[in-house]
Coordinates of all heavy atoms in Angstrom, one line a residue:
M1 N -6.4 -1.5 -10.8 CA -5.8 -0.9 -9.7 C -4.4 -0.5 -9.9 O -3.6 -1.3 -10.5 CB -5.9 -1.7 -8.5 CG -5.2 -1.2 -7.2 SD -5.0 -2.3 -5.9 CE -6.6 -2.4 -5.2
E2 N -4.0 0.7 -9.5 CA -2.6 1.1 -9.5 C -2.2 1.5 -8.1 O -3.1 2.1 -7.4 CB -2.3 2.2 -10.5 CG -2.4 1.7 -11.9 CD -2.1 2.8 -12.9 OE1 -1.1 3.6 -12.6 OE2 -2.8 3.0 -13.9
L3 N -1.0 1.3 -7.7 CA -0.5 1.7 -6.4 C 0.5 2.8 -6.5 O 1.3 2.8 -7.5 CB 0.1 0.5 -5.7 CG -0.7 -0.6 -5.1 CD1 0.1 -1.8 -4.7 CD2 -1.5 0.0 -4.0
A4 N 0.6 3.7 -5.6 CA 1.6 4.6 -5.5 C 2.0 4.8 -4.1 O 1.2 4.6 -3.1 CB 1.1 6.0 -6.1
V5 N 3.3 5.1 -3.8 CA 3.8 5.3 -2.4 C 4.5 6.6 -2.4 O 5.1 7.1 -3.3 CB 4.7 4.1 -1.9 CG1 3.9 2.8 -1.9 CG2 5.9 4.0 -2.9
D6 N 4.4 7.2 -1.3 CA 5.1 8.5 -1.0 C 6.2 8.2 0.0 O 6.0 8.1 1.2 CB 4.0 9.6 -0.5 CG 4.7 10.9 -0.3 OD1 5.9 11.0 -0.3 OD2 3.9 11.9 -0.2
R7 N 7.4 8.1 -0.5 CA 8.6 7.8 0.3 C 8.9 8.9 1.3 O 9.6 8.8 2.3 CB 9.7 7.4 -0.5 CG 9.6 6.0 -1.1 CD 10.8 5.7 -2.0 NE 12.1 5.9 -1.5 CZ 12.8 5.1 -0.7 NH1 12.3 4.0 -0.3 NH2 14.0 5.4 -0.2
E8 N 8.4 10.2 1.0 CA 8.7 11.2 1.9 C 7.8 11.1 3.2 O 8.2 11.5 4.3 CB 8.4 12.6 1.2 CG 9.3 12.9 0.0 CD 10.8 12.9 0.5 OE1 11.1 13.5 1.5 OE2 11.6 12.2 -0.2
R9 N 6.6 10.6 3.0 CA 5.7 10.4 4.1 C 6.0 9.1 4.9 O 5.8 9.1 6.1 CB 4.3 10.3 3.6 CG 3.7 11.5 3.0 CD 2.2 11.4 2.7 NE 1.4 11.1 3.9 CZ 0.6 12.1 4.4 NH1 0.4 13.2 3.7 NH2 -0.1 11.9 5.5
C10 N 6.5 8.1 4.2 CA 6.8 6.9 4.9 C 7.7 7.0 6.1 O 8.7 7.7 6.0 CB 7.4 5.9 3.9 SG 8.0 4.3 4.5
I11 N 7.3 6.3 7.2 CA 8.2 6.4 8.4 C 8.8 5.0 8.6 O 9.4 4.8 9.7 CB 7.3 6.8 9.6 CG1 6.1 5.8 9.8 CG2 6.8 8.2 9.5 CD1 5.4 6.0 11.1
G12 N 8.7 4.1 7.6 CA 9.4 2.8 7.7 C 8.9 1.9 8.7 O 9.5 1.0 9.2
A13 N 7.6 2.0 9.0 CA 6.9 1.1 10.0 C 6.9 -0.3 9.5 O 6.8 -1.2 10.4 CB 5.5 1.6 10.3
G14 N 6.8 -0.5 8.3 CA 6.9 -1.9 7.7 C 5.6 -2.7 7.7 O 5.6 -3.8 7.3
M15 N 4.5 -2.0 8.0 CA 3.2 -2.8 8.0 C 2.9 -3.2 6.5 O 2.4 -4.3 6.3 CB 2.1 -1.8 8.4 CG 2.0 -1.6 9.9 SD 1.9 -3.1 10.9 CE 0.3 -3.6 10.4
C16 N 3.2 -2.4 5.6 CA 2.9 -2.8 4.1 C 3.7 -4.1 3.8 O 3.1 -5.0 3.2 CB 3.2 -1.7 3.2 SG 4.9 -1.0 3.3
A17 N 4.9 -4.1 4.1 CA 5.8 -5.3 3.7 C 5.3 -6.5 4.4 O 5.5 -7.7 4.0 CB 7.2 -4.9 3.9
L18 N 4.8 -6.3 5.6 CA 4.3 -7.4 6.5 C 3.0 -8.0 5.9 O 2.8 -9.2 5.8 CB 4.2 -6.9 7.9 CG 3.8 -8.0 8.9 CD1 5.0 -8.9 9.2 CD2 3.4 -7.3 10.3
L19 N 2.1 -7.0 5.5 CA 0.8 -7.4 5.1 C 0.8 -7.9 3.7 O -0.1 -8.7 3.3 CB -0.2 -6.3 5.4 CG -0.5 -5.9 6.8 CD1 -1.2 -4.6 6.9 CD2 -1.2 -7.1 7.5
A20 N 1.6 -7.3 2.8 CA 1.6 -7.6 1.4 C 3.0 -7.6 0.9 O 3.4 -6.7 0.1 CB 0.7 -6.5 0.7
P21 N 3.7 -8.6 1.2 CA 5.2 -8.7 0.8 C 5.3 -8.8 -0.7 O 6.4 -8.6 -1.2 CB 5.7 -10.0 1.5 CG 4.4 -10.7 1.9 CD 3.4 -9.8 2.1
E22 N 4.2 -9.3 -1.4 CA 4.3 -9.3 -2.8 C 4.3 -8.0 -3.5 O 4.8 -7.8 -4.6 CB 3.1 -10.2 -3.4 CG 2.9 -11.5 -2.8 CD 2.1 -11.4 -1.5 OE1 1.7 -10.3 -1.2 OE2 1.8 -12.5 -1.0
L23 N 3.8 -6.9 -2.7 CA 3.6 -5.7 -3.3 C 4.7 -4.7 -2.8 O 5.0 -3.7 -3.5 CB 2.3 -5.2 -3.1 CG 1.1 -6.1 -3.5 CD1 -0.2 -5.5 -3.1 CD2 1.2 -6.3 -5.0
F24 N 5.1 -4.8 -1.6 CA 5.9 -3.8 -0.9 C 7.1 -4.5 -0.3 O 7.1 -5.6 0.2 CB 5.1 -3.1 0.2 CG 3.9 -2.5 -0.2 CD1 2.7 -3.2 0.0 CD2 3.8 -1.2 -0.8 CE1 1.4 -2.6 -0.4 CE2 2.6 -0.7 -1.3 CZ 1.4 -1.4 -1.1
D25 N 8.2 -3.7 -0.2 CA 9.4 -4.1 0.4 C 9.9 -2.8 1.2 O 9.4 -1.8 1.0 CB 10.5 -4.6 -0.6 CG 11.6 -5.4 0.0 OD1 11.6 -5.6 1.3 OD2 12.3 -6.1 -0.7
Q26 N 11.0 -3.0 2.0 CA 11.6 -1.9 2.6 C 13.1 -1.7 2.2 O 13.8 -2.7 2.0 CB 11.6 -2.1 4.1 CG 10.2 -1.9 4.6 CD 10.2 -2.1 6.2 OE1 10.0 -3.2 6.6 NE2 10.3 -1.0 7.0
D27 N 13.4 -0.5 2.0 CA 14.8 -0.1 1.6 C 15.8 -0.6 2.6 O 15.6 -0.2 3.8 CB 14.8 1.4 1.3 CG 16.1 1.8 0.5 OD1 17.2 1.2 0.9 OD2 16.0 2.6 -0.4
D28 N 16.8 -1.3 2.3 CA 17.8 -1.7 3.3 C 18.5 -0.5 3.9 O 18.9 -0.6 5.1 CB 18.8 -2.7 2.6 CG 18.3 -4.0 2.4 OD1 17.3 -4.4 3.1 OD2 18.8 -4.8 1.6
A29 N 18.6 0.5 3.1 CA 19.4 1.7 3.6 C 18.7 2.6 4.6 O 19.2 2.9 5.6 CB 19.8 2.5 2.4
D30 N 17.4 2.9 4.3 CA 16.7 3.8 5.2 C 15.3 3.2 5.8 O 14.6 3.9 6.5 CB 16.4 5.1 4.5 CG 15.5 5.0 3.2 OD1 14.9 3.9 3.0 OD2 15.5 5.9 2.5
G31 N 15.0 2.0 5.4 CA 13.8 1.3 5.9 C 12.4 1.8 5.3 O 11.4 1.3 5.7
R32 N 12.6 2.8 4.4 CA 11.4 3.2 3.8 C 10.8 2.3 2.7 O 11.6 1.4 2.2 CB 11.6 4.6 3.2 CG 11.9 5.7 4.2 CD 11.9 7.0 3.7 NE 12.5 8.0 4.7 CZ 12.4 9.3 4.5 NH1 12.0 9.8 3.4 NH2 12.9 10.1 5.4
V33 N 9.6 2.5 2.4 CA 8.9 1.6 1.5 C 9.4 1.6 0.0 O 9.9 2.6 -0.4 CB 7.4 1.9 1.4 CG1 7.2 3.3 0.8 CG2 6.6 0.9 0.7
L34 N 9.5 0.4 -0.5 CA 9.8 0.2 -2.0 C 8.6 -0.5 -2.6 O 8.1 -1.5 -2.0 CB 11.0 -0.7 -2.1 CG 12.3 -0.1 -1.6 CD1 13.4 -1.1 -1.7 CD2 12.8 1.1 -2.4
L35 N 8.1 0.1 -3.7 CA 7.0 -0.5 -4.3 C 7.4 -1.6 -5.3 O 8.2 -1.3 -6.2 CB 6.2 0.6 -5.1 CG 4.9 0.2 -5.7 CD1 3.9 -0.4 -4.7 CD2 4.3 1.5 -6.3
R36 N 7.0 -2.8 -5.1 CA 7.5 -3.9 -5.9 C 6.6 -4.1 -7.2 O 7.1 -4.6 -8.2 CB 7.5 -5.2 -5.1 CG 8.4 -5.1 -3.9 CD 8.4 -6.5 -3.1 NE 9.1 -7.5 -3.9 CZ 9.3 -8.7 -3.5 NH1 8.9 -9.0 -2.4 NH2 9.9 -9.6 -4.3
D37 N 5.3 -3.8 -7.0 CA 4.4 -4.0 -8.1 C 3.3 -2.9 -8.2 O 2.4 -3.0 -7.5 CB 3.8 -5.4 -8.0 CG 2.9 -5.8 -9.2 OD1 2.8 -4.9 -10.1 OD2 2.5 -6.9 -9.2
P38 N 3.6 -1.9 -9.0 CA 2.6 -0.7 -9.1 C 1.3 -1.1 -9.6 O 0.3 -0.3 -9.5 CB 3.4 0.3 -9.9 CG 4.4 -0.5 -10.7 CD 4.8 -1.6 -9.9
V39 N 1.2 -2.2 -10.4 CA -0.1 -2.6 -11.0 C -0.3 -4.1 -10.6 O -0.1 -5.0 -11.3 CB 0.0 -2.4 -12.5 CG1 -1.4 -2.7 -13.1 CG2 0.5 -1.1 -12.9
P40 N -0.7 -4.3 -9.4 CA -0.9 -5.6 -8.8 C -2.1 -6.4 -9.5 O -3.1 -5.7 -9.9 CB -1.2 -5.4 -7.4 CG -1.8 -4.1 -7.3 CD -1.1 -3.3 -8.3
P41 N -1.9 -7.7 -9.6 CA -3.0 -8.5 -10.2 C -4.1 -8.6 -9.2 O -4.0 -8.2 -8.0 CB -2.3 -9.9 -10.4 CG -1.2 -9.9 -9.4 CD -0.7 -8.5 -9.3
A42 N -5.3 -8.9 -9.7 CA -6.5 -8.9 -8.8 C -6.3 -9.7 -7.6 O -6.9 -9.4 -6.6 CB -7.7 -9.4 -9.7
A43 N -5.5 -10.8 -7.6 CA -5.4 -11.6 -6.5 C -4.7 -10.9 -5.3 O -4.8 -11.3 -4.1 CB -4.5 -12.8 -6.8
H44 N -4.1 -9.7 -5.6 CA -3.4 -9.0 -4.6 C -4.1 -7.7 -4.2 O -3.6 -6.9 -3.4 CB -2.0 -8.7 -5.0 CG -1.1 -9.9 -5.0 ND1 0.0 -10.0 -5.8 CD2 -1.3 -11.1 -4.5 CE1 0.6 -11.2 -5.6 NE2 -0.2 -11.9 -4.9
H45 N -5.3 -7.4 -4.8 CA -6.0 -6.2 -4.5 C -6.3 -6.1 -3.0 O -6.3 -5.0 -2.4 CB -7.1 -6.1 -5.4 CG -6.8 -5.7 -6.8 ND1 -7.8 -5.4 -7.8 CD2 -5.6 -5.6 -7.5 CE1 -7.2 -5.1 -8.9 NE2 -5.9 -5.3 -8.8
S46 N -6.8 -7.2 -2.5 CA -7.3 -7.2 -1.1 C -6.1 -6.8 -0.2 O -6.2 -6.0 0.7 CB -7.8 -8.5 -0.8 OG -8.2 -8.6 0.7
A47 N -5.0 -7.4 -0.4 CA -3.8 -7.1 0.4 C -3.4 -5.7 0.2 O -2.9 -5.1 1.1 CB -2.6 -8.1 0.0
A48 N -3.5 -5.1 -1.0 CA -3.1 -3.8 -1.2 C -4.0 -2.8 -0.4 O -3.6 -1.9 0.2 CB -3.2 -3.5 -2.7
H49 N -5.3 -3.2 -0.4 CA -6.2 -2.3 0.4 C -5.9 -2.4 1.9 O -5.9 -1.4 2.6 CB -7.6 -2.8 0.2 CG -8.3 -2.2 -1.0 ND1 -9.0 -1.0 -1.0 CD2 -8.3 -2.6 -2.3 CE1 -9.4 -0.7 -2.2 NE2 -9.1 -1.7 -3.0
E50 N -5.5 -3.6 2.4 CA -5.3 -3.8 3.8 C -4.0 -3.0 4.1 O -3.9 -2.4 5.2 CB -5.1 -5.3 4.1 CG -5.0 -5.5 5.5 CD -5.1 -7.1 5.8 OE1 -5.1 -7.9 4.9 OE2 -4.9 -7.4 7.0
A51 N -3.0 -3.1 3.3 CA -1.7 -2.4 3.5 C -2.0 -0.9 3.6 O -1.4 -0.1 4.4 CB -0.7 -2.7 2.5
A52 N -2.7 -0.3 2.5 CA -3.0 1.1 2.6 C -3.7 1.5 3.8 O -3.5 2.6 4.4 CB -3.7 1.4 1.3
H53 N -4.7 0.7 4.2 CA -5.6 1.1 5.4 C -4.7 1.0 6.6 O -5.0 1.8 7.5 CB -6.7 0.0 5.5 CG -7.7 0.3 6.6 ND1 -8.5 1.4 6.5 CD2 -7.8 -0.3 7.8 CE1 -9.3 1.3 7.7 NE2 -8.8 0.4 8.4
N54 N -3.7 0.2 6.7 CA -3.0 0.1 8.0 C -1.7 0.9 8.0 O -0.9 0.8 9.0 CB -2.6 -1.5 8.2 CG -3.8 -2.2 8.7 OD1 -4.3 -2.1 9.8 ND2 -4.5 -3.0 7.8
C55 N -1.3 1.6 6.9 CA -0.1 2.4 6.9 C -0.3 3.5 7.9 O -1.2 4.4 7.7 CB 0.2 2.9 5.5 SG 1.5 4.0 5.5
P56 N 0.5 3.6 8.9 CA 0.4 4.7 9.9 C 0.6 6.1 9.4 O 0.3 7.1 10.0 CB 1.3 4.3 11.0 CG 2.3 3.4 10.3 CD 1.6 2.8 9.2
A57 N 1.4 6.1 8.2 CA 1.7 7.4 7.6 C 0.9 7.8 6.5 O 1.1 8.9 5.8 CB 3.2 7.4 7.2
A58 N -0.1 7.0 6.1 CA -1.0 7.3 4.9 C -0.1 7.5 3.7 O -0.3 8.4 2.9 CB -1.9 8.4 5.2
A59 N 0.9 6.7 3.5 CA 1.8 6.8 2.5 C 1.5 6.0 1.2 O 2.2 6.1 0.2 CB 3.3 6.6 2.9
I60 N 0.5 5.3 1.4 CA 0.1 4.4 0.2 C -1.2 4.9 -0.4 O -2.2 5.0 0.3 CB -0.1 2.9 0.7 CG1 1.3 2.4 1.3 CG2 -0.5 2.0 -0.5 CD1 1.1 1.0 2.1
T61 N -1.2 5.1 -1.7 CA -2.4 5.5 -2.4 C -2.8 4.5 -3.4 O -2.0 3.9 -4.2 CB -2.1 6.8 -3.2 OG1 -1.6 7.8 -2.2 CG2 -3.3 7.3 -3.9
L62 N -4.1 4.2 -3.5 CA -4.7 3.3 -4.4 C -5.3 4.1 -5.5 O -6.2 5.0 -5.1 CB -5.7 2.4 -3.7 CG -5.3 1.5 -2.5 CD1 -6.4 0.7 -2.0 CD2 -4.1 0.7 -2.9
L63 N -5.0 3.8 -6.7 CA -5.7 4.5 -7.9 C -6.5 3.5 -8.7 O -6.0 2.4 -8.9 CB -4.6 5.1 -8.7 CG -3.5 5.9 -8.0 CD1 -2.3 6.2 -8.9 CD2 -4.1 7.2 -7.5
G64 N -7.6 4.0 -9.0 CA -8.5 3.1 -9.8 C -9.4 2.2 -8.9 O -9.0 1.9 -7.8
R65 N -10.6 1.8 -9.4 CA -11.5 1.1 -8.6 C -11.9 -0.2 -9.2 O -12.8 -0.8 -8.5 CB -12.7 2.0 -8.4 CG -12.4 3.3 -7.9 CD -13.4 3.7 -6.7 NE -12.7 4.6 -5.8 CZ -12.5 4.4 -4.5 NH1 -12.9 3.3 -4.0 NH2 -12.1 5.3 -3.8
A66 N -11.3 -0.7 -10.2 CA -11.7 -1.9 -10.8 C -11.6 -3.1 -9.8 O -10.5 -3.3 -9.3 CB -10.8 -2.2 -12.0
S67 N -12.7 -3.7 -9.6 CA -12.8 -4.9 -8.7 C -12.3 -4.7 -7.3 O -11.9 -5.6 -6.6 CB -12.1 -6.1 -9.3 OG -10.7 -6.0 -9.2
A68 N -12.3 -3.3 -6.9 CA -11.8 -3.1 -5.6 C -12.9 -2.7 -4.6 O -13.9 -2.1 -5.0 CB -10.8 -1.9 -5.6
P69 N -12.8 -3.3 -3.4 CA -13.8 -2.9 -2.4 C -13.7 -1.5 -2.0 O -12.6 -0.9 -2.2 CB -13.5 -3.9 -1.3 CG -12.1 -4.2 -1.4 CD -11.8 -4.1 -2.8
P70 N -14.7 -0.8 -1.4 CA -14.5 0.5 -1.0 C -13.4 0.6 0.1 O -13.3 -0.3 0.9 CB -15.8 0.9 -0.3 CG -16.7 -0.3 -0.4 CD -16.0 -1.4 -1.1
D71 N -12.5 1.6 0.0 CA -11.4 1.7 1.0 C -11.8 2.6 2.1 O -11.0 2.8 3.0 CB -10.2 2.2 0.3 CG -10.3 3.5 -0.4 OD1 -11.4 4.1 -0.2 OD2 -9.4 3.9 -1.1
R72 N -13.0 3.1 2.2 CA -13.3 4.0 3.3 C -14.8 3.9 3.5 O -15.6 3.9 2.6 CB -12.9 5.4 2.9 CG -12.7 6.3 4.0 CD -12.0 7.6 3.5 NE -10.6 7.5 3.4 CZ -9.8 7.9 2.4 NH1 -10.4 8.4 1.3 NH2 -8.6 7.8 2.4
H73 N -15.2 4.0 4.8 CA -16.6 4.1 5.1 C -17.1 5.5 4.9 O -16.4 6.4 5.3 CB -16.9 3.6 6.6 CG -17.0 2.2 6.7 ND1 -18.1 1.5 6.2 CD2 -16.3 1.3 7.3 CE1 -18.0 0.2 6.5 NE2 -16.9 0.0 7.2
T74 N -18.2 5.7 4.4 CA -18.7 7.1 4.1 C -19.7 7.4 5.2 O -20.2 8.6 5.2 CB -19.4 7.2 2.8 OG1 -20.3 6.2 2.6 CG2 -18.3 7.1 1.7
G75 N -20.0 6.5 6.1 CA -20.9 6.8 7.2 C -22.4 6.9 6.9 O -23.0 7.9 6.9
D76 N -22.9 5.8 6.4 CA -24.3 5.8 6.0 C -25.3 5.6 7.2 O -24.9 5.4 8.3 CB -24.6 4.7 5.0 CG -24.0 3.3 5.4 OD1 -23.0 3.3 6.0 OD2 -24.7 2.3 5.2
Ligands
SF4_1 S1 3.3 0.8 6.1 FE1 3.5 3.0 5.4 S2 5.0 3.9 6.8 FE2 5.2 1.7 7.0 S3 6.8 1.2 5.5 FE3 4.8 0.9 4.5 S4 4.5 2.9 3.5 FE4 6.0 3.2 5.0

């Protein structure tokens, strides 16, 4: 899994840093997201999914699917 963040979309809500402080931080200057670990270990994949799912600005992107649960319901 790889993580990417879009600082232009980020509104500084801080959910990511709250839910996954090992992976995300907030810039002291503008409050926007800082990516601490773009290639998180498996132990943090669940937190990465939770942060991406709860970001109100959809500013967090997960790349790659290795050992990751589905990040979206497809409506079966
Ligand atoms: S949860 Fe989303 S909007 Fe909030 S700080 Fe993180 S990336 Fe930015």
Side-chain angles (χ1 to χ4, degrees):
M1 172 196 281
E2 291 183 39
L3 283 172
V5 295
D6 184 342
R7 284 176 48 84
E8 296 302 313
R9 292 185 68 107
C10 175
I11 58 172
M15 286 302 293
C16 56
L18 187 70
L19 293 168
E22 305 87 357
L23 306 178
F24 304 98
D25 201 352
Q26 285 180 275
D27 193 319
D28 285 338
D30 61 13
R32 294 187 189 188
V33 64
L34 295 173
L35 187 55
R36 301 183 68 178
D37 189 350
V39 187
H44 292 159
H45 285 188
S46 174
H49 276 273
E50 192 173 357
H53 183 73
N54 285 285
C55 173
I60 300 170
T61 303
L62 305 180
L63 309 168
R65 302 229 156 237
S67 73
D71 56 7
R72 204 169 273 136
H73 276 293
T74 53
D76 50 321

